[in-house]
Amino acid sequence: MQETLTPPAFSNATSPYSDLVENQRKFFKTGKTKSLAFRKEQLQNLKAGLKKYESKFVQALYEDLHKPEMEAYATELDVSVEEINHVIENLGSWMEPEPVATPLFFQPGRSVTIHEPHGVSVIIGPWNYPIKNLIGPLIGALCAGNTAVIKPSEISPATSKVMSDMLADMFTPEYVTCVEGGVAETTELLKERFDYLLFTGGTEIGRIIYQAAAKHLTPVTLELGGKSPTVVDEKSDLKIATKRIVWAKFLNTGQTCIAPDHIYVHNSKKVEFIALAKKYIGEFWADGQASKDLGRIISDRHFDRISKMITGDVVIGGDTDAATKYISPTVIDNVTPEHPAMQEEIFGPIMPVIGFDSIDEVIGNISSGEKPLALYVFSNSSKTKKRFVNETSSGVVLFNDLIVHAGHAGLPFGGIGNSGIGAYNGKIGFETFSHKKPVMYRSTFGDVAQKYPPYTKGKMSFIRFAI
Ligand code: NAD
């Protein structure tokens, strides 16, 4: 009698989102998302959505973060549109099967690898760059031929609402949809089985997300945080180093995952560094609290958390206003490992300065901590640069500048260890959201008789020789 096999249930989870995910899975199975034409058309659609909702996004970013208009365009909207352009231009060649040489033993034969979409993806985002950190991964998901469920952060509610409206306007829900909400909604959503998950947020929440994904063996990319050190050695252009550090530190009021967290400055340059920092802070935000170019802290909780770090040798700033969640650009000198700002990722406008005498000390400190998302080194010594590349580990190492690597579509963006798993950006995003599938074409011509039992010494010698 023939045994009847019952296929395993695809998902045993039920949540308010079961239908939504199921509908996306059905749509994915139609195969419509797979053609180059469809993918390009949908990326154009996404671009059109970003343009159509541009002014609403700018307004929402201001409501949530007091984000300056310039930063809204430069770090959220324009970069996203530019990435879409880059992907549309190159997608055809990325989708081409990649030939792989086929060894003699497998001849006649031909081998390739192809990029196959995973299926239904989920993208969970943070509040600090609430457009870029959702749209960047979404570009990866769509260009790779997946469907996507987007979960913006509830901590930036105005932007979350515009994102939801934009996606509903531009896409059908079985292809791209937005689920708004916080912990409760995300917990329910993650009961569902997804084929790929990309999460951006804090390391501790990343662990929770990873566990939820593990239940379904869902592959993940985790874009997490941490303390990104910056080093200014004695052989660097101090003026440009300080200017760039001040810009990068206080961009988005320090609420940037790849912001320089704390600054190691060679003791021979520390006094000058602080004087220059004071000069540039004064120039950039001359109007202080009235400056339209300075954002605010996202929430009361974060305002309280960051305010507690303003202690010790405060040499610049230190002003706060709880009512408007304002914290002025603040520099603290002579910071020790016990200082409150050194206990966690700062994620605010506080810049601790730590003096050092030898690069060995700094490399030792960096190597003994968790692997950072970014490491920035200002130095003109090729020996020093080589040492940082070889003796430290981080998501990225960038010399003589900060943050700009995130806009380079050819470089992977991601962390290592506590700062993350995997990466995305441009082609890497396409690869992240694809399964690289080997495909081998063999012929039935020319069968190797020696591989079949019964095995004899002669057959074994032949096979071992051939292998
Ligand atoms: P978060 O981890 O608090 O929240 C991120 C997302 O997770 C939100 O959508 C939130 O709703 C959801 N979430 C929160 N708690 C949850 C829970 N218990 N269960 C399920 N879902 C939950 O992060 P955040 O405060 O929004 O962002 C700040 C952190 O993100 C910083 O550590 C920063 O470094 C990091 N970050 C990293 C990158 C990167 O690309 N590596 C980019 C931006 C921010």
Side-chain angles (χ1 to χ4, degrees), residues 14-26:
T14 50
S15 81
Y17 305 108
S18 296
D19 287 349
L20 178 159
V21 174
E22 202 40 48
N23 288 341
Q24 286 214 351
R25 184 155 282 118
K26 270 190 202 143

Side-chain angles (χ1 to χ4, degrees), residues 302-311 320 327 350:
H302 282 288
F303 176 84
D304 291 344
R305 184 183 64 76
I306 300 162
S307 297
K308 289 195 184 107
M309 295 176 184
I310 305 176
T311 174
T320 63
I327 299 180
I350 311 290

Side-chain angles (χ1 to χ4, degrees), residues 76-92:
E76 302 256 28
L77 291 159
D78 288 350
V79 276
S80 300
V81 168
E82 188 41 40
E83 189 180 348
I84 295 174
N85 290 337
H86 171 76
V87 171
I88 288 176
E89 203 179 308
N90 294 286
L91 187 57

Side-chain angles (χ1 to χ4, degrees), residues 116-130:
E116 176 182 87
H118 284 282
V120 182
S121 66
V122 60
I123 295 165
I124 303 169
W127 50 261
N128 61 335
Y129 289 87

Side-chain angles (χ1 to χ4, degrees), residues 123-129 133-134 151-156 181-188 190 198-206 208-209 212 222-227 255-259 298 301-302 345 347 373 413-415 419-420 424:
I123 295 165
I124 303 169
W127 50 261
N128 61 335
Y129 289 87
N133 282 324
L134 284 175
K151 215 298 287 173
S153 172
E154 74 285 12
I155 312 293
S156 45
V183 177
E185 289 79 3
T186 316
T187 306
E188 285 301 311
L190 292 180
L198 188 145
F199 168 81
T200 304
T203 302
E204 288 317 311
I205 308 300
I208 297 172
I209 302 288
L222 302 177
E223 298 284 346
L224 310 177
K227 293 178 84 61
Q255 302 166 113
T256 302
C257 58
I258 46 172
I298 185 76
R301 183 174 79 79
H302 282 288
E345 180 183 6
F347 223 55
L373 187 56
F413 183 88
S419 59
Y424 70 100

Side-chain angles (χ1 to χ4, degrees), residues 95-109:
M95 283 174 67
E96 287 292 320
E98 290 170 11
V100 179
T102 304
L104 189 63
F105 191 62
F106 304 116
Q107 296 293 348

